[in-house]
Amino acid sequence: MTPSALLVLIAGLGVIGWLVAKARAQRLNTRRDALHSLPGHHGWYLALWIILPALLGFAVWGSVSPGMIHSAVLADPAAARLPSFEFERNAIISEAFTLAEYPGTPVFNPEAEALVPAVVAAKSKFGAIGAAIILILAFAGGGFGYTRLTAQFPARTRVERAVLLSLLSASLLAILTTIGIIASLLFESGLFFSKVSPLEFLFGTHWSPANGSFGAVPLYWGTLFIGAVIAMVVAIPLGLMSAIYLTQYAPADVRRWMKPMLEILAGIPTVVYGYFAALTVAPMVRDLAAAIGVANPSTESALAAGLVMGIMIIPFVSSMADDSIAAVPQAMRDGSLAMGATRSETIKKVLIPAALPGIVAGIMLAVSRAIGETMIVVMAAGATANLSANPFASMTTVTFQIVQLLTGDQEFDSAKTLSAFALGLVLFIVTLILNIIALRVVKRFREAYE
Amino acid sequence: MSNPAIDWGSPEAAKRLARRYAAERRFKLLGLSAVALSMAFLVFLLGTMLIGGIGGIDAAFLSGSDATEADAAGVWGAVKGSFLTMVVTIVLALPMGVFAAIYLEEFAPRNRWIDIVEVSINNLAAVPSIIFGLLGLAVFINFFGLARSSPLVGGMTLALMTMPVIVIASRNAIKAVPPSIRDAALAVGASEVQTVFHHVLPLALPGILTGAIIGMARALGETAPLLMIGMRAFVSSPPSSITDPATVLPMQIFLWSDEVDRAFVQNTSAAILVLLAFLLLMNGIAIYLRNKFETRW
């Protein structure tokens, strides 16, 4: 029996249990207040008792049965002729599995053909055993649940407890994800740092993973130069001035239309920006470089990537600035205007200083977003690690190198692939610090004016 | 002030005022040009794609899969891969996100554990997407041994990325339901769980769905995490299940943009137009939902 058919069967049994329990509870409902809970609650109670043990069995069986099938295939007489070298043997067995599932697939090892009957037999045998165990669990759970069905049984509180438990576990998934990110990055980086000294990684200035030198300073520099310098030079003035114009000057109608239009810039996928940067902006930048007399301008430049990234960031800066300016109390603005200041004087001398913490926090979030941005730099920034302040030079970034190191051939224990996780760890820590500070500033800032 | 008697009619004062008004006009113009410049970028970007790609969209392009020849290549395989990936994402992220939001808004006690949950959700929403790719690679592929390049792993990775967005949107939607609704339900004898599932959740649903669609739109355009889990293989036939090797629409754009053959330039722009059309559709639905069902209490 296939796993999906089994799942459908379990769900079907659950529905039957629900109907049976509900009907029985309705029969017990002979007078007013005879039942503790609604018939529907009794239905859910029985359905949960059928479905949950069966699903638990399904998960446990799904994780142990592949090993059992594997050893059953090995124990088969047909497997006796397999080479004893484990790596080669496993390759043949995995080919036999593919053949059993998709007959006619071309194979490298002819021995695999001989194993197919054994694989099919083992699969159907353990599949049947698993299905039997799961069905027994479903019926046992259902039987137990059914015996508890009496008129005064508090089915509602039990079902609600189960609901609360599932709500709680959903919210714990967020912590689990965070722990998963930290644990996997730390684990793989730990392996990397056992091969390469952390000091060299953090402070070395030569990056060439193919030759075993892992000094990542040029990557940090490229990341900061593109994400925190060039992109911000574009995004901060444009974003801030757009926010000021839209909140302070634009008529309500214009604002209602222009603000969503501006937000479109944030909704365009980064791969589109990357393509735009590589195809349209980069040649323009190269021509510009040639025109102002830069020798040998390359098509891949920090400037092209940074410019396009800056455009992408504009809506982040402007919406954060928008919120912060809107949070400044009207009385402060009115006070300034009443004293005879013009609008622009009010904005420059009163609103912006008052909104500054929020604006700075918004910029920090934007920087964190920019340095974690991947596709634009992958497509437009270049692969050469370059420690220079020339915006027309090709530069590489942390995210670019992560992509570079992890795509293509993978041996999972080489220092080259593991260094990608160490770079990921640095990126995670930096963005985390920026985000925590920014979120805290925003929160305190909101409280100050509420 | 020390000079109470400013002569407002004097030429000095008039000049001073003129200077201040000129500064005012300059500032306003500066703001307007910032908006105009941003819009110009948007128009330029969309215009470039439209001019480059509109000629490449025809029935063969929409129904074909990736091929080595630019003329024979199409987007259907990638669209189907995206669709399967999004199905996995929404099936995992929507219930998990909504459940987490309900718990945090309606049932969570105020203690340090819940603070940690809240902080980690807010941070996850701002973690670079490529980090989720590293997580997917380390956990789903290397640890659990799931199939590389499959919509299953891609969808699970994107679900982890989308869940915080859905949690935050759902919490705001649930928070917006007035307490009087809850009080009324509790007063006539509903249990807390009944109150939430029969009254609060249906009223918060439009907001939740709007947030979910926006989160899905973000996931649909995402490329970097999927690069990490190997969804960049050359896939010449559409995937038929969530464990088959597949590619997604943004990844197809990335792969084609890397082709040396100039003939793929039109394909790339055309695929971008298809992707943008899907995003526009999703955002349009979100805006429609918000406008149609939004209740001001």
Side-chain angles (χ1 to χ4, degrees), chain B residues 255-279:
Chain B
L255 291 175
W256 280 344
S257 75
D258 244 11
E259 291 278 347
V260 190
D261 188 355
R262 293 290 296 171
F264 274 100
V265 168
Q266 193 184 39
N267 281 356
T268 315
S269 302
I272 285 175
L273 290 182
V274 174
L275 178 61
L276 290 179
F278 276 115
L279 292 178

Side-chain angles (χ1 to χ4, degrees), chain A residues 1-8 58:
Chain A
M1 191 176 280
T2 63
S4 47
L6 203 54
L7 284 179
V8 171
F58 186 83

Side-chain angles (χ1 to χ4, degrees), chain B residues 3-282:
Chain B
N3 52 348
I6 296 178
D7 179 7
W8 288 99
S10 75
E12 288 80 33
K15 226 157 98 187
R16 200 178 142 82
L17 264 184
R19 214 167 50 231
R20 286 175 64 198
Y21 285 140
E24 171 74 23
R25 278 192 300 274
R26 274 202 305 278
F27 193 72
K28 189 173 173 182
L29 200 66
L30 207 62
L32 184 61
S33 52
V35 177
L37 198 58
S38 309
M39 289 300 147
F41 277 130
L42 180 65
V43 172
F44 181 44
L45 191 152
L46 295 181
T48 312
M49 298 304 152
L50 209 58
I51 291 166
I54 196 78
I57 295 183
D58 52 30
F61 180 75
L62 293 177
S63 62
S65 283
D66 198 5
T68 44
E69 291 297 315
D71 292 341
V75 284
W76 174 240
V79 169
K80 198 170 172 199
S82 274
F83 175 75
L84 291 172
T85 309
M86 288 300 112
V87 168
V88 175
T89 304
I90 193 104
V91 163
L92 293 175
L94 186 61
M96 282 299 184
V98 174
F99 277 21
I102 292 175
Y103 185 76
L104 292 175
E105 272 312 309
E106 300 285 334
F107 296 108
R110 295 276 86 191
N111 62 28
R112 189 180 299 166
W113 274 101
I114 299 306
D115 283 348
I116 295 178
V117 173
E118 290 194 4
V119 168
S120 81
I121 286 175
N122 286 337
N123 278 318
L124 281 179
V127 164
S129 59
I130 192 168
I131 301 284
F132 286 98
L134 289 176
L135 174 73
L137 174 63
V139 175
F140 297 140
I141 293 180
N142 289 337
F143 188 73
F144 286 115
L146 295 173
R148 280 176 73 85
S149 325
S150 63
L152 177 65
V153 174
M156 279 159 60
T157 307
L158 292 180
L160 292 181
M161 204 189 85
T162 314
M163 191 188 138
V165 179
I166 297 183
V167 174
I168 292 171
S170 307
R171 286 188 71 172
N172 288 335
I174 292 171
K175 217 181 280 177
V177 177
S180 58
I181 304 271
R182 295 179 187 84
D183 295 343
L186 292 170
V188 293
S191 71
E192 286 186 1
V193 172
Q194 285 170 329
T195 306
V196 169
F197 280 90
H198 295 175
H199 301 281
V200 178
L201 198 55
L203 289 172
L205 209 56
I208 292 174
L209 288 181
T210 308
I213 294 172
I214 288 169
M216 294 304 289
R218 225 179 83 177
L220 178 63
E222 200 56 73
T223 323
L226 302 178
L227 264 177
M228 296 290 96
I229 57 165
M231 288 186 89
R232 60 178 290 166
F234 176 80
V235 180
S236 58
S237 60
S240 56
S241 82
I242 55 169
T243 49
D244 285 351
T247 190
V248 294
L249 204 43
M251 190 63 71
Q252 190 70 73
I253 293 167
F254 175 61
L255 291 175
W256 280 344
S257 75
D258 244 11
E259 291 278 347
V260 190
D261 188 355
R262 293 290 296 171
F264 274 100
V265 168
Q266 193 184 39
N267 281 356
T268 315
S269 302
I272 285 175
L273 290 182
V274 174
L275 178 61
L276 290 179
F278 276 115
L279 292 178
L280 202 66
L281 184 72
M282 289 170 79

Side-chain angles (χ1 to χ4, degrees), chain A residues 4 18 24 30 41 83 85 127 228 265 309 363 420-421:
Chain A
S4 47
W18 191 84
R24 177 154 166 77
T30 45
H41 286 125
F85 182 48
L265 280 173
M309 200 185 277
I363 291 172
F421 285 91

